[in-house]
Amino acid sequence: MEKSCSLLIHFDKGTPALANEIKEALEGNDVPAKIDAMKKAVMLLLNGETLPQLFITIIRYVLPSEDHTIQKLLLLYLEIIEKTDSKGRVLPEMILICQNLRNNLQHPNEYIRGVTLRFLCRLNEVDIIEPLIPSIMSNLEHRHPYVRRNAILAVMAVYKLPQGEQLLADAPEKIENVLTTEQDPSAKRNAFLMLFQCAQERAINYLLTHVDRVSDWGDLLQMVVLDLVRKVCRTNKGEKGKYIKIIISLLNAPSAAVVYECAGTLVSLSSAPTAVRAAANTYCQLLQSQSDNNVKLIVLDRLNELKSSHREIMVDMIMDVLRALSSPNLDIRRKTLDIVLELITPKNINEVVLTLKKEVMKTQSGELEKNGEYRQMLIQAIHSCAVKFPEVASTVVHLLMDFLGDSNVASAVDVVVFVREIIETNPKLRVSIVTRLLDTFYQIRAARVCSCALWIIGEYCQSLSEVESGIATIKQCLGDLPFYSASEEGEANDSSKKSQQINSITVSSRRPAVLADGTYATQSAASETAFSPPTVVQGSLTAGNLRSLLLTGDFFLGAVVACTLTKLILRLEEVQPSKVEVNKATTNALLIMVSMIQLGQSSALPHPIDNDSYDRMVLCVRLLCNTGNEVRKIWLNSCHESFVKMLSDKQMRETEEIKAKAQISHSQPDDLIDFYHLKSRRGMSQLELEDAVQDDLKRATGEFVKDETDANKLNRVLQLTGFSDPVYAEAFVTVHHYDIVLDVTVINRTKETLQNLCLELATMGDLKLVERPQNYTLAPESSKQIKANIKVSSTETGVIFGNIVYETSNVLDRMVVVLNDIHIDIMDYISPAVCSDAAFRTMWLEFEWENKVAVNTVIQDEKDFLDHIIKSTNMKCLTALSALEGECGFLAANLYAKSVFGEDALVNVSIEKQADSKLSGYIRIRSKTQGIALSLGDKITLKQKGGS
């Protein structure tokens, strides 16, 4: 027999109350002490204690009490205690409580009657319930609705018992009469629910009889009506038309919960365009009318599902969805933009971009603290729109270029990357973009943005005026030369210090001076005084942004400046007929480069120039001093060709992702197709006709495909015991997002009856058992289905273990069968995902948990090993295919996935092919939580050798 209570309540038994103390408190006359003692008794019972000695005390001293709290605790106590013996017969002492329950059901106080009726809903013992049937039925006509609604629930619970139909043969008829006359909404809902679950035909007849009044019923009753409609339509699809009319009538209900359920029911039952459009309209209205952010996020999820299955209908709703941007919550805005970006078409692109432009301008007000992040999202959305539809780029690019100097560096980087892509894909905008960029270049304050802007200037300044303006802009932003100077001191310091400080200083004088330690230094011809250490020259107030960034020691930016000047000079040689002007510009460019090199080699800055930047600058100096045609071709053509190839690869990757997201469906050539044109249309509404067309189309295109094949289901069946064990058990494991359901089949292979058979489970990891184990009696050679629910709280590999305990009549001791462990795979919780390279790098820096796994595999090809890791970890490779091409003996790739709990999993694969053809290297995993990093590491260690 199953126990009624399945609730686990923690109770600290560190200082357990002795049964005698509880007994004394119950025998006293102090009501608060009695309440406290009853609570302690209930807690101890819930934690496995039996306390049989308290039963008679409670019958004598607690049963007669008139206190409502004591009576409620008494009912809880009676619900928990064992009421039957090992053979399933009701204990004799349980008869003592029947009279008390009958008195409570006839009590003048409505509360006592109501809680007693609710208690009866938890009873499974027919011997206790049978004498109470007349009292339960009499409460159906009580004057107070609280009693009536609980009486209906009690009748439903009794009727559901194995012998319920014999105890209450006329229950459905009486409840139907109650439903006809009842005025209380809650009682009416309970009565309809009873008919729905116990006499469905009566519920359907009542619904169809009062179909015109459904919209006037209370929201509680309407929710039950929707449940009934869903069940009936799934079992009898032929009658779907008349029920869908009821759902559509409920779309205008005042309750938001009813409206939401209506929309969901409508989409689940019908794929007709009219029904889907009505559901989408309802979701959009809820999006505007509800203020709760959680509700909005849920509604957006439903709209996202509609977008996946009914995109052509959702395209018409795009402006309604965009209204959700009025919410200040960033998660809502992000989800809204994600939906909208997949619904843009040539018809609505102008409206969408106009709305996004207005939102960008609103972010300039600075009223909200997260305006910068919102602006960044909008810029990325506009970028995506402009890439898909280049004709709209001209309407937004100049507006966005105003944000190149944005204080939010990420937002400014997105703008300059957008400009870089648009100027290539839209040749007509090149002149205006270059002009605007040169005008606003001085506003840029971030080094990363400056670097990208300088690259654009070097690549796309093509005419004579543009090249000259580009050189002039760079010179203006660098300010006057030199970048540092040495100031005189009146007196010489300690000679040893002077030797270290001025060794590298060069001034106009050529006369050397010998210091006390024997080293040389140059000094002015006008005086014999030494010089102090060099100091940087900040320049005038009009000095530009490049100078201030250089003086902070950013020599990578200095190398970009040198490369940009080199490209501009090389292009100037092609467009400028005057050699004098070319030579002058070349000289100025060389002077700037040499000044940057000197600044990097001086002690004016705390950190010297790095070798890479130094080599790059020296290369530019040599190139301008001696230019060859091949080198000119590389600098002016090859760089641009590489950028074009990068854009084409990016577009190809996005196209592949869109194709991968599309639903792949197949149908068999012998599948049945019903042609609705050949059917009788008599009595069919327009919605039913549309639904028939959609069903035929889905069947023809193979969308009616089972989610999981039988072979996949068999893979999830795990054997828990051996074939020679007296009890055989196997489990079918179903993994949902937040819980795991174990459907365990237990078979008694003996010739004896097994009593008190219990499936005891325990877990390791972030897994928690929801229910306490129950005892069962298993007849010889019979089987039992036992379900166990386990909650999952994080993405982590967990283990479920346990045993089956049972008793037999021949053996006094309990027998134990140990079960095989069930390992929960992390792959059930993570799925491939996509993010930008910048977002990947940001998360890589932020996440604190790292797991480093050494490569140890028999696979000898780098790409084959990468493909094996991707397949084994269920992750997405973010590295472009073009970057993985070639046979260089090295491979580095980034992988990304998200868990159902919203956790990010980052993996970097870095491998090298050794001389003996073996692969070596490391796989690094990073995540915000420890569990996912460790679990993925264990998975990779297990799978990387090439096993299945």
Side-chain angles (χ1 to χ4, degrees):
M1 295 296 292
E2 293 186 3
K3 291 187 178 179
S4 303
C5 183
S6 60
L7 180 66
L8 284 175
I9 301 176
H10 172 70
F11 180 63
D12 186 7
K13 295 196 289 183
T15 56
L18 297 175
N20 292 334
E21 295 177 4
I22 297 176
K23 187 176 180 181
E24 290 177 5
L26 293 176
E27 291 174 351
N29 295 323
D30 188 2
V31 173
K34 274 189 177 183
I35 293 174
D36 189 53
M38 284 297 295
K39 287 180 179 179
K40 288 180 180 178
V42 169
M43 289 293 187
L44 287 170
L45 285 167
L46 286 174
N47 280 271
E49 302 291 336
T50 54
L51 305 178
Q53 63 271 38
L54 288 182
F55 182 78
I56 298 300
T57 303
I58 289 175
I59 294 297
R60 290 182 59 192
Y61 297 100
V62 178
L63 212 61
S65 175
E66 294 291 332
D67 186 81
H68 290 181
T69 305
I70 292 178
Q71 283 295 323
K72 186 167 185 177
L73 289 170
L74 171 64
L75 294 175
L76 286 175
Y77 170 81
L78 294 176
E79 180 182 340
I80 298 168
I81 61 173
E82 289 285 351
K83 305 173 190 66
T84 57
D85 57 17
S86 58
K87 296 183 180 180
R89 293 175 296 191
V90 176
L91 296 171
E93 54 265 30
M94 288 297 115
I95 306 301
L96 297 174
I97 68 170
C98 284
Q99 184 60 40
N100 179 70
L101 293 175
R102 186 185 293 108
N103 294 339
N104 283 353
L105 291 174
Q106 298 171 358
H107 201 279
N109 185 276
E110 297 88 358
Y111 176 77
I112 297 296
R113 287 198 185 203
V115 294
T116 305
L117 287 165
R118 288 189 70 84
F119 164 71
L120 293 177
C121 296
R122 306 283 186 175
L123 283 185
N124 296 322
E125 290 74 23
V126 176
D127 293 339
I128 299 176
I129 292 176
E130 188 173 5
L132 305 175
I133 296 295
S135 300
I136 295 173
M137 300 303 290
S138 65
N139 279 298
L140 290 174
E141 301 174 357
H142 194 272
R143 58 180 179 79
H144 201 282
Y146 176 72
V147 177
R148 295 199 302 272
R149 72 177 72 131
N150 285 300
I152 294 170
L153 291 177
V155 170
M156 179 172 67
V158 173
Y159 194 79
K160 284 183 175 181
L161 293 175
Q163 302 176 21
E165 294 188 19
Q166 285 82 13
L167 294 175
L168 290 171
D170 58 345
E173 183 181 351
K174 289 193 174 182
I175 295 298
E176 188 175 8
N177 295 333
V178 169
L179 181 60
T180 307
T181 58
E182 184 59 65
Q183 299 299 320
D184 180 64
S186 183
K188 202 166 187 176
R189 175 257 181 196
N190 290 352
F192 190 81
L193 180 65
M194 189 272 174
L195 293 180
F196 167 37
Q197 295 188 0
C198 302
Q200 187 172 306
E201 287 300 323
R202 291 180 181 269
I204 293 172
N205 292 335
Y206 180 82
L207 175 62
L208 296 179
T209 306
H210 301 83
V211 67
D212 297 331
R213 298 173 55 189
V214 173
S215 56
D216 299 328
W217 291 349
D219 55 345
L220 295 175
L221 183 54
Q222 289 173 345
M223 295 288 276
V224 182
V225 168
L226 289 174
D227 289 338
L228 174 64
V229 168
R230 272 195 294 264
K231 184 176 180 181
V232 171
C233 290
R234 282 170 183 158
T235 55
N236 189 2
K237 294 183 178 180
E239 299 183 359
K240 190 163 55 175
K242 56 185 176 183
Y243 292 107
I244 287 181
K245 294 176 185 176
I246 298 174
I247 300 173
I248 293 177
S249 69
L250 289 176
L251 286 175
N252 299 319
S255 170
V258 173
V259 170
Y260 173 80
E261 286 295 329
C262 273
T265 304
L266 199 57
V267 173
S268 66
L269 296 180
S270 173
S271 56
T274 305
V276 175
R277 193 172 290 108
N281 274 320
T282 301
Y283 285 140
C284 291
Q285 290 170 9
L286 288 172
L287 205 56
Q288 295 302 311
S289 61
Q290 299 301 307
S291 58
D292 191 326
N293 289 338
N294 293 320
V295 173
K296 290 189 175 186
L297 288 170
I298 293 171
V299 171
L300 285 170
D301 285 337
R302 301 290 82 75
L303 287 171
N304 193 34
E305 293 171 2
L306 282 182
K307 176 209 68 183
S308 303
S309 55
H310 304 281
R311 184 180 182 276
E312 65 285 350
I313 296 173
M314 286 300 298
V315 165
D316 299 333
M317 314 294 299
I318 189 168
M319 298 310 296
D320 295 322
V321 177
L322 267 176
R323 292 195 183 98
L325 292 177
S326 58
S327 171
N329 185 276
L330 281 181
D331 292 329
I332 294 174
R333 287 171 163 174
R334 184 179 293 108
K335 194 165 283 191
T336 302
L337 289 174
D338 290 342
I339 294 172
V340 167
L341 289 179
E342 296 187 26
L343 296 176
I344 52 176
T345 62
K347 292 182 180 180
N348 59 32
I349 182 64
N350 291 324
E351 286 183 287
V352 172
V353 171
L354 182 62
T355 303
L356 296 178
K357 281 175 62 178
K358 290 179 181 177
E359 291 295 320
V360 169
M361 288 186 281
K362 287 179 185 177
T363 61
Q364 292 178 294
S365 61
E367 295 175 0
L368 298 175
E369 59 182 44
K370 293 188 177 179
N371 266 350
E373 295 180 46
Y374 181 40
R375 189 186 305 124
Q376 183 183 355
M377 287 193 295
L378 291 170
I379 291 168
Q380 291 171 351
I382 293 174
H383 184 178
S384 178
C385 293
V387 170
K388 292 180 181 177
F389 300 94
E391 62 272 11
V392 302
S394 59
T395 63
V396 294
V397 66
H398 297 300
L399 169 68
L400 295 185
M401 289 180 74
D402 291 336
F403 297 100
L404 284 172
D406 195 351
S407 57
N408 185 355
V409 177
S411 176
V413 169
D414 287 335
V415 171
V416 77
V417 170
F418 168 66
V419 172
R420 184 182 67 180
E421 191 167 345
I422 293 303
I423 199 173
E424 173 59 35
T425 55
N426 292 265
K428 295 179 181 179
L429 299 177
R430 185 191 63 80
V431 176
S432 61
I433 290 177
V434 168
T435 305
R436 185 64 179 273
L437 182 60
L438 292 174
D439 291 342
T440 57
F441 186 80
Y442 71 93
Q443 300 175 356
I444 302 175
R445 297 298 172 196
R448 289 174 61 192
V449 183
C450 275
S451 300
C452 192
L454 285 169
W455 185 89
I456 295 172
I457 292 171
E459 285 291 333
Y460 295 98
C461 286
Q462 296 177 357
S463 66
L464 177 60
S465 60
E466 290 172 351
V467 172
E468 291 177 342
S469 298
I471 296 173
T473 300
I474 294 173
K475 286 180 63 179
Q476 181 185 357
C477 291
L478 285 171
D480 299 330
L481 301 178
F483 295 110
Y484 70 96
S485 66
S487 58
E488 292 186 4
E489 289 183 347
E491 297 293 334
N493 293 326
D494 183 79
S495 60
S496 63
K497 292 184 179 178
K498 287 192 290 184
S499 66
Q500 297 171 8
Q501 294 170 344
I502 66 175
N503 250 341
S504 61
I505 302 175
T506 304
V507 293
S508 59
S509 173
R510 297 296 178 186
R511 189 171 65 176
V514 182
L515 300 178
D517 58 355
T519 58
Y520 289 92
T522 56
Q523 66 179 18
S524 171
S527 67
E528 298 295 328
T529 57
F531 293 95
S532 64
T535 58
V536 296
V537 179
Q538 298 295 339
S540 62
L541 294 174
T542 58
N545 47 353
L546 289 180
R547 187 185 191 93
S548 61
L549 291 170
L550 272 176
L551 295 182
T552 60
D554 191 345
F555 288 103
F556 174 78
L557 179 61
V560 175
V561 170
C563 293
T564 304
L565 287 172
T566 302
K567 288 182 182 178
L568 292 174
I569 297 300
L570 293 176
R571 193 162 281 118
L572 185 65
E573 293 176 0
E574 296 178 349
V575 298
Q576 174 59 268
S578 173
K579 296 297 181 183
V580 176
E581 294 296 329
V582 173
N583 291 336
K584 183 180 177 181
T586 304
T587 304
N588 289 332
L590 288 170
L591 182 60
I592 291 172
M593 296 178 197
V594 172
S595 298
M596 289 190 294
I597 293 173
Q598 284 186 336
L599 173 65
Q601 292 180 331
S602 73
S603 57
L605 298 177
H607 302 289
I609 186 171
D610 58 282
N611 292 333
D612 290 339
S613 299
Y614 174 80
D615 293 342
R616 193 73 169 163
M617 290 183 192
V618 171
L619 176 64
C620 293
V621 171
R622 290 175 178 171
L623 181 61
L624 290 181
C625 294
N626 185 14
T627 307
N629 290 331
E630 290 298 323
V631 176
R632 183 189 301 274
K633 183 180 178 182
I634 291 173
W635 280 73
L636 295 183
N637 297 329
S638 299
C639 294
H640 184 258
E641 291 171 0
S642 298
F643 177 63
V644 172
K645 188 174 185 302
M646 186 192 82
L647 289 182
S648 63
D649 289 345
K650 178 185 174 185
Q651 187 173 4
M652 187 183 303
R653 196 164 69 224
E654 290 175 350
T655 305
E656 290 175 357
E657 290 171 3
I658 292 173
K659 289 180 180 178
K661 287 182 181 178
Q663 184 178 4
I664 301 174
S665 55
H666 305 281
S667 61
Q668 298 300 323
D670 58 345
D671 284 352
L672 178 67
I673 300 178
D674 293 328
F675 294 94
Y676 87 101
H677 298 281
L678 305 179
K679 293 180 180 179
S680 172
R681 301 192 187 184
R682 186 175 300 171
M684 294 181 70
S685 65
Q686 182 63 29
L687 187 64
E688 290 176 273
L689 292 175
E690 291 180 9
D691 212 20
V693 175
Q694 294 298 318
D695 285 351
D696 288 347
L697 287 174
K698 283 186 176 182
R699 193 172 285 106
T701 56
E703 285 190 34
F704 290 149
V705 180
K706 292 183 180 180
D707 294 335
E708 194 171 23
T709 62
D710 293 336
N712 290 334
K713 287 184 177 180
L714 288 175
N715 290 336
R716 294 185 176 274
V717 176
L718 303 175
Q719 183 179 340
L720 300 181
T721 63
F723 291 114
S724 60
D725 288 321
V727 176
Y728 175 78
E730 63 182 19
F732 178 72
V733 183
T734 306
V735 179
H736 300 292
H737 282 181
Y738 296 100
D739 61 349
I740 300 168
V741 179
L742 298 181
D743 195 349
V744 183
T745 302
V746 180
I747 302 174
N748 179 6
R749 304 183 68 233
T750 67
K751 301 292 184 179
E752 299 177 350
T753 300
L754 305 184
Q755 299 173 355
N756 295 327
L757 184 141
C758 180
L759 175 66
E760 298 179 347
L761 297 176
T763 60
M764 287 180 61
D766 281 344
L767 305 175
K768 292 182 180 178
L769 287 167
V770 178
E771 301 165 338
R772 59 183 298 179
Q774 299 177 0
N775 292 336
Y776 303 92
T777 299
L778 211 56
E781 298 183 352
S782 64
S783 63
K784 178 71 178 177
Q785 298 289 123
I786 303 175
K787 284 196 175 184
N789 292 311
I790 297 169
K791 284 290 179 186
V792 184
S793 55
S794 71
T795 308
E796 183 177 338
T797 300
V799 180
I800 305 171
F801 57 94
N803 48 56
I804 293 177
V805 183
Y806 62 91
E807 297 174 354
T808 61
S809 57
N810 297 334
V811 183
L812 297 178
D813 295 334
R814 304 197 77 184
M815 306 294 291
V816 178
V817 178
V818 180
L819 305 179
N820 293 332
D821 295 346
I822 301 173
H823 294 267
I824 303 302
D825 195 349
I826 187 178
M827 295 300 104
D828 292 324
Y829 298 105
I830 66 173
S831 56
V834 179
C835 71
S836 64
D837 291 340
F840 186 92
R841 286 193 294 269
T842 302
M843 289 188 288
W844 189 267
L845 291 173
E846 290 176 354
F847 290 173
E848 56 186 5
W849 290 103
E850 177 175 305
N851 192 2
K852 192 174 182 180
V853 180
V855 173
N856 180 17
T857 180
V858 296
I859 301 174
Q860 296 186 350
D861 185 79
E862 305 98 308
K863 292 177 186 174
D864 290 346
F865 179 73
L866 177 63
D867 292 339
H868 177 67
I869 292 298
I870 292 172
K871 182 180 178 181
S872 302
T873 58
N874 196 25
M875 301 188 83
K876 174 73 175 178
C877 182
L878 301 182
T879 306
L881 293 176
S882 58
L884 301 175
E885 292 176 352
E887 299 292 338
C888 63
F890 297 90
L891 186 144
N894 293 331
L895 313 181
Y896 179 63
K898 283 185 80 72
S899 75
V900 296
F901 305 100
E903 300 167 319
D904 300 287
L906 313 178
V907 172
N908 173 260
V909 181
S910 299
I911 49 179
E912 176 186 2
K913 197 167 190 176
Q914 302 292 334
D916 58 356
S917 297
K918 290 185 177 180
L919 298 181
S920 66
Y922 291 96
I923 302 170
R924 292 197 294 166
I925 306 146
R926 285 198 182 183
S927 66
K928 191 176 288 186
T929 57
Q930 182 185 19
I932 194 170
L934 294 177
S935 300
L936 261 181
D938 294 340
K939 187 74 175 179
I940 290 173
T941 303
L942 181 67
K943 293 282 187 177
Q944 67 168 322
K945 290 189 177 182
S948 59

